[in-house]
Amino acid sequence: MSLKVNLRLLEKESIELDGDILGSELAPDFLDELMRLSHPVEYELTVERQSDSLLVTGSLRSHVDCECSRCLKSFVLPVRVDEFSTLAPLEGEEALPVDGDFADLTPVVREDILLALPTNPLCGPDCRGLKPKGQPRELQVREQAEPNTAWSALDNLKL
Ligand SMILES: [Zn+2]
């Protein structure tokens, strides 16, 4: 459950961590109209100490509840990050949160899983979007604004 590593133990050897963390715990501030991190994120990590940083390698696996950005259908998207490798500093502005002897790897996992999410989720590569009901809205709007242009365009098509 915990994504914390003991820095003292890391001085002697690398540490392997595996488990899962709730999406809501991993990224409580994540807000997206089309995606929800409602499933646990499974992680398998190896952590090595490298002077002032931790080298974190491993893989992540989860599912994300999505709404298709074209047709608005709900679907579950599997998300995998294979063999990522991140050098996380222990000092400076970007430093990992450290509490006593423990460093918290949550930011590393969060960043890698968020990077793996699509910008515009699609239910499938061939999604054609919403089926038009009657006239597409775009055309209706254009007709109201420029009736002559729209009709002459249609006339040209018929020729
Ligand atoms: Zn779709």
Side-chain angles (χ1 to χ4, degrees):
M1 195 68 190
S2 172
L3 268 168
K4 293 186 173 149
V5 278
N6 188 318
L7 294 169
R8 280 180 192 237
L9 289 180
L10 272 177
E11 280 168 18
K12 296 184 202 124
E13 57 188 0
S14 64
I15 291 179
E16 305 206 346
L17 291 176
D18 51 60
D20 53 66
I21 181 168
L22 288 173
S24 54
E25 208 174 313
L26 181 68
D29 299 333
F30 178 76
L31 201 63
D32 190 285
E33 273 180 42
L34 299 173
M35 287 180 277
R36 243 176 296 270
L37 298 176
S38 32
H39 302 262
V41 176
E42 292 173 42
Y43 55 83
E44 280 184 39
L45 309 175
T46 304
V47 190
E48 272 172 62
R49 178 90 192 229
Q50 290 201 347
S51 60
D52 291 339
S53 304
L54 297 182
L55 177 64
V56 187
T57 51
S59 57
L60 307 170
R61 215 172 284 199
S62 189
H63 292 88
V64 181
D65 287 333
C66 294
E67 244 173 69
C68 178
S69 59
R70 281 191 203 151
C71 72
L72 302 180
K73 191 170 95 178
S74 298
F75 65 102
V76 177
L77 180 76
V79 176
R80 291 180 64 143
V81 185
D82 288 319
E83 297 177 23
F84 75 90
S85 171
T86 303
L87 197 60
L90 290 168
E91 286 172 17
E93 273 182 34
E94 305 277 295
L96 289 175
V98 174
D99 184 11
D101 288 335
F102 290 89
D104 187 0
L105 299 175
T106 309
V108 175
V109 173
R110 176 171 51 228
E111 194 177 316
D112 280 286
I113 205 84
L114 294 185
L115 282 174
L117 299 179
T119 334
N120 294 306
L122 288 181
C123 62
D126 302 326
C127 176
R128 311 182 89 176
L130 292 167
K131 290 200 181 94
K133 282 182 193 159
Q135 282 186 325
R137 182 181 292 175
E138 205 183 315
L139 188 58
Q140 286 174 1
V141 172
R142 224 187 291 151
E143 267 180 37
Q144 281 164 7
E146 304 169 282
N148 294 334
T149 321
W151 283 115
S152 55
L154 283 177
D155 286 341
N156 288 341
L157 281 178
K158 279 175 198 152
L159 294 172

